[in-house]
Amino acid sequence: MRELLNDLDRWRRQGKRVAIARVVDIEGSGPRAPGAAMAVSEDGQVTGSVSGGCVEGAVVEAALAALDSGERAVHSFGYSDDDAFAVGLPCGGTIHLYVERLDW
Amino acid sequence: MSLYDELAAAVRADRAVALATVIDGPGTGAKLLLASGVAPVGSLGDPDLDRVVARDVEGELAAGITRVRRYGPHGEARRDDVSVFIESFVPPPRMLIFGAVDFTAALVRVAKVLGYRVTVCDARPVFATRARFPFADEVVVDWPNRLLDKVGPELTPRDAVCVLTHDAKFDVPAIVGALATRVGYLGVMGSRRTRADRDARLVEVGVREADLARVHAPIGLDLGARTPEETAVSICAEIIAVHTGRRDVRPLGDTDGPIHQQGAG
């Protein structure tokens, strides 16, 4: 989250609502370690990254949804046995992200 | 001051802090900010859980580990009612570069890209100047062993020492000083013949063979680097490989298995 601080501070100063997605766990092969984070402002600006670019689009959707609903939850992206996930990591791993409003 | 503001202030001040967040179970979203020697801020929603997490965080924070731990509602072990994401924020790793030469300026730049806090040290005031190393966090005019006496005890396995002096009268004390620390990477520039001569001098001053094995020399991976910039990349590539435990570095195209290893980095 360290590299996001400047953007987060600016958005908060501007009174924008912000959601943050943090990598909390990885199964198999994943490009970014736990702690990698990205944040999305209510007007759709993005900072940071949580993978090599494979799931960022889906994470933006999840973050904007969390801004609206206030839901705080773990979202998982990648391949599962039943291919239940629409968005996959080409490296064949599963990435678990905790997504919430930055209202704390 | 919000919890986020407290966290941001600590991270910017390079203080070691951990943010614990309930990510699954009762009280999802609850947070506890922990730093050694400072009163905790916030709560995970249960005083016993707070106490157990605070105890566990001490170990995670010292090692800079970020991971999920699972507990019972009151912090019981071997339960998984509550998932707590413990995110450790540790100060950036340090790189000490001894020798204010052309290669040093390039190495400073590449090390900054990798997030190191970089100190350049040389005993010669004409070479160790801010103007020559504008990207260094610190330029110190001193003998390597004196700087290491001062900062050596703070060095950790995440840190690196690069000796680029090319001069036995600086190299030997720098290496001896660095070997007395917990630094994770110690590399020394110079030809293979220089290395043999230097090893003999190091043994003369009492360095054990086992400690000589900690010295990466000639410094860097065999990339065929020639320019200072290429050499800096080869040095930093070796540092990454050492930290991730790769002993036999080869092109990914020639190897099998997972590209991203669990627990690395």
Side-chain angles (χ1 to χ4, degrees):
Chain A
M1 202 193 300
R2 179 187 295 270
E3 67 279 8
L4 274 58
L5 293 179
N6 288 343
D7 286 325
L8 293 177
D9 282 0
R10 193 177 64 253
W11 293 342
R12 285 162 69 96
R13 264 200 318 276
Q14 293 168 347
K16 289 177 183 164
R17 292 181 307 137
V18 179
I20 185 160
R22 291 182 279 161
V23 177
V24 296
D25 201 3
I26 288 165
E27 291 164 47
S29 181
R32 298 289 308 267
M38 74 187 262
V40 181
S41 67
E42 63 183 318
D43 54 351
Q45 294 185 69
V46 177
T47 186
S49 82
V50 292
S51 76
C54 354
V55 303
E56 267 71 2
V59 176
V60 170
E61 297 300 315
L64 289 172
L67 266 189
D68 282 341
S69 68
E71 189 198 31
R72 303 174 188 276
V74 175
H75 298 247
S76 300
F77 298 98
Y79 293 116
S80 73
D81 290 341
D82 55 0
D83 273 342
F85 301 109
V87 184
L89 291 171
C91 23
T94 303
I95 180 171
H96 301 284
L97 295 154
Y98 176 68
V99 183
E100 65 175 354
R101 281 181 187 165
L102 183 54
D103 54 4
W104 37 276
Chain B
M1 202 166 169
S2 70
L3 195 80
Y4 166 81
D5 289 328
E6 302 242 14
L7 171 68
V11 170
R12 286 207 167 95
D14 284 340
R15 290 203 305 274
V17 286
L19 176 65
T21 307
V22 177
I23 60 166
D24 199 21
T28 294
K31 288 180 180 64
L32 182 62
L33 186 66
L34 297 150
S36 62
V38 183
V41 182
S43 170
L44 300 177
D46 178 87
D48 291 322
L49 181 61
D50 286 351
R51 198 167 35 76
V52 172
V53 169
R55 188 196 64 204
D56 288 347
V57 159
E58 276 183 43
E60 312 282 35
L61 193 52
I65 293 171
T66 288
R67 56 172 285 195
V68 176
R69 280 179 170 272
R70 294 181 172 84
Y71 303 91
H74 307 292
E76 298 92 331
R78 290 182 295 281
R79 300 265 302 264
D80 58 3
D81 311 75
V82 186
S83 298
V84 179
F85 178 51
I86 297 170
E87 186 171 7
S88 293
F89 297 85
V90 290
R94 292 193 65 168
M95 182 185 287
L96 305 185
I97 308 175
F98 294 109
V101 297
D102 271 359
F103 287 91
T104 309
L107 181 54
V108 171
R109 288 200 300 275
V110 178
K112 287 310 294 177
V113 169
L114 294 179
Y116 282 88
R117 183 166 179 275
V118 183
T119 300
V120 174
C121 173
D122 195 304
R124 304 164 298 177
V126 268
F127 292 114
T129 63
R130 273 238 71 98
R132 294 189 68 212
F133 307 104
F135 299 107
D137 295 279
E138 202 180 18
V139 179
V140 178
V141 181
D142 208 342
W143 282 75
N145 48 316
R146 297 217 325 202
L147 179 69
L148 281 166
D149 283 348
K150 204 156 49 182
V151 305
E154 301 161 10
L155 295 180
T156 74
R158 300 167 60 234
D159 302 322
V161 170
C162 299
V163 181
L164 310 185
T165 41
H166 268 120
D167 181 338
K169 92 174 163 287
F170 297 107
D171 282 0
V172 169
I175 295 166
V176 171
L179 284 174
T181 72
R182 295 165 59 227
V183 76
Y185 175 86
L186 168 57
V188 186
M189 187 171 271
S191 67
R192 293 184 200 282
R193 200 172 77 197
T194 307
R195 177 181 188 170
D197 294 344
R198 190 180 52 235
D199 283 359
R201 285 164 179 268
L202 287 166
V203 170
E204 266 172 42
V205 298
V207 173
R208 293 172 308 158
E209 292 285 339
D211 281 336
L212 278 186
R214 278 179 68 194
V215 180
H216 295 270
I219 196 169
L221 289 188
D222 185 10
L223 304 181
R226 298 299 289 263
T227 66
E229 290 74 18
E230 290 168 354
T231 305
V233 169
S234 114
I235 293 169
C236 288
E238 181 172 51
I239 294 173
I240 294 167
V242 167
H243 281 158
T244 56
R246 297 291 201 279
R247 305 189 71 83
D248 176 25
V249 181
R250 285 185 294 154
L252 285 165
D254 293 348
T255 58
D256 297 319
I259 295 171
H260 312 288
Q261 209 112 86
Q262 277 291 350

